[in-house]
Amino acid sequence: MTSEFKDERGRNLPFVISDVMGLENKTDSGIRPSDIIKALEGHIKEGYKFNPVASCSEQHYNSSPTLNDKVHCLVFVIPIHNFIVNGYVDNVLMKMMQNIRQKACDLGIPQVVILTKVDLACPHVKEDIKLIYRSKTIHQKVQACHHELGVPLNCIFPVKNYHEERQLNPDMDAVLLFTLTKILNSANDFVENIKEPEDEDHGDRIDSIDFIS
Ligand SMILES: Nc1nc2c(ncn2[C@@H]2O[C@H](COP(=O)(O)OP(=O)(O)OP(=O)(O)O)[C@@H](O)[C@H]2O)c(=O)[nH]1
Ligand SMILES: [Mg+2]
């Protein structure tokens, strides 16, 4: 599902966020890693409902994706407690994520990891979200994520989502917006880097760039 966002005057902001089905470690359930890779490359048409037991059909396949159809930043969303001391709870899932990340690297797509549910991992952070970057438990899990998935430390963001709160909390917002800013900057850098050769040549080359060598 793709979400659009508006500013206070009702104008569309220049980015979208696409949420997809999660990965599962069981056969025939969860999104197929090969479909995620097709989505990264822009080959999956908008509105396609991912099917765990079949690959994206021809009807939903975009054989000539433009820059707009491609993913500009890949975001992994993982509950933080899935990282344990020097490891991850599920080797099968981690292998899938590593393969997807490798493909994103090959395509030059930046990656960010959001580690959710920090409140369940550390009672001090549950009490006061401002301690999120000082918690030893959270720090160890961020390190484990870095070692397991290979994503640089400055691209891994622990967060607590709104789930039971009835009011906005500016401290929670600060953490979430810090994360969103990093994602948008990474996506923007990706797009700008692709556009640069075009600007130098004064030609329209975006659609003709072949991402896979
Ligand atoms: N305590 C806590 N609960 C959270 C947090 N983030 C999400 N949740 C809860 O976790 C549950 C799952 O959240 P979702 O956003 O639906 O997770 P998802 O992985 O997208 O799930 P599917 O879309 O069903 O695949 C919900 O009940 C949320 O309220 C968090 O930071 N802390
Ligand atoms: Mg979801």
Side-chain angles (χ1 to χ4, degrees):
M1 192 194 84
T2 296
S3 302
E4 295 181 349
F5 303 88
K6 294 188 190 301
D7 67 12
E8 61 280 1
R9 290 201 203 160
R11 292 173 301 199
N12 273 349
L13 293 170
F15 66 89
V16 296
I17 295 182
S18 293
D19 182 25
V20 294
M21 177 188 275
L23 287 167
E24 302 264 346
N25 68 355
K26 285 166 263 151
T27 330
D28 293 347
S29 67
I31 192 166
R32 295 163 81 92
S34 57
D35 274 351
I36 296 190
I37 289 165
K38 281 188 200 130
L40 291 178
E41 294 168 324
H43 285 307
I44 295 200
K45 289 185 185 167
E46 184 54 46
Y48 173 66
K49 196 167 174 296
F50 288 93
N51 181 351
V53 295
S55 284
C56 172
S57 63
E58 204 156 295
Q59 185 195 350
H60 298 281
Y61 188 85
N62 177 357
S63 53
S64 49
T66 67
L67 180 59
N68 259 352
D69 302 317
K70 295 175 185 176
V71 169
H72 305 153
C73 180
L74 168 64
V75 181
F76 292 90
V77 183
I78 310 170
I80 196 164
H81 53 253
N82 285 6
F83 286 96
I84 46 181
V85 184
N86 296 327
Y88 191 73
V89 286
D90 190 314
N91 287 334
V92 175
L93 271 179
M94 180 45 69
K95 192 85 212 132
M96 283 182 192
M97 290 193 280
Q98 286 166 346
N99 289 342
I100 292 164
R101 171 173 139 71
Q102 186 53 56
K103 188 66 196 182
C105 289
D106 296 346
L107 295 166
I109 299 171
Q111 303 121 36
V112 168
V113 181
I114 299 180
L115 297 177
T116 61
K117 306 192 184 183
V118 290
D119 51 313
L120 301 184
C122 175
H124 304 296
V125 175
K126 181 182 168 77
E127 193 70 28
D128 182 1
I129 188 72
K130 292 201 290 299
L131 298 176
I132 193 166
Y133 305 117
R134 287 167 55 192
S135 156
K136 203 172 161 195
T137 313
I138 305 289
H139 182 70
Q140 282 168 345
K141 289 181 184 294
V142 168
Q143 291 279 349
C145 175
H146 167 60
H147 286 120
E148 287 294 305
L149 204 49
V151 173
L153 284 169
N154 63 2
C155 297
I156 302 174
F157 293 84
V159 308
K160 176 179 156 19
N161 287 309
Y162 282 96
H163 71 115
E164 59 182 7
E165 299 73 4
R166 289 187 178 79
Q167 280 182 325
L168 292 176
N169 172 345
D171 297 325
M172 258 176 80
D173 288 347
V175 173
L176 292 164
L177 288 173
F178 179 53
T179 307
L180 180 62
T181 305
K182 171 72 183 186
I183 294 168
L184 296 180
N185 284 339
S186 302
N188 201 46
D189 287 349
F190 175 75
V191 173
E192 291 297 323
N193 285 341
I194 286 172
K195 276 179 166 174
E196 256 165 36
E198 179 211 8
D199 292 345
E200 280 162 20
D201 285 9
H202 304 289
D204 181 10
R205 287 195 356 200
I206 290 183
D207 291 354
S208 65
I209 289 180
D210 185 0
F211 281 80
I212 312 164
S213 53

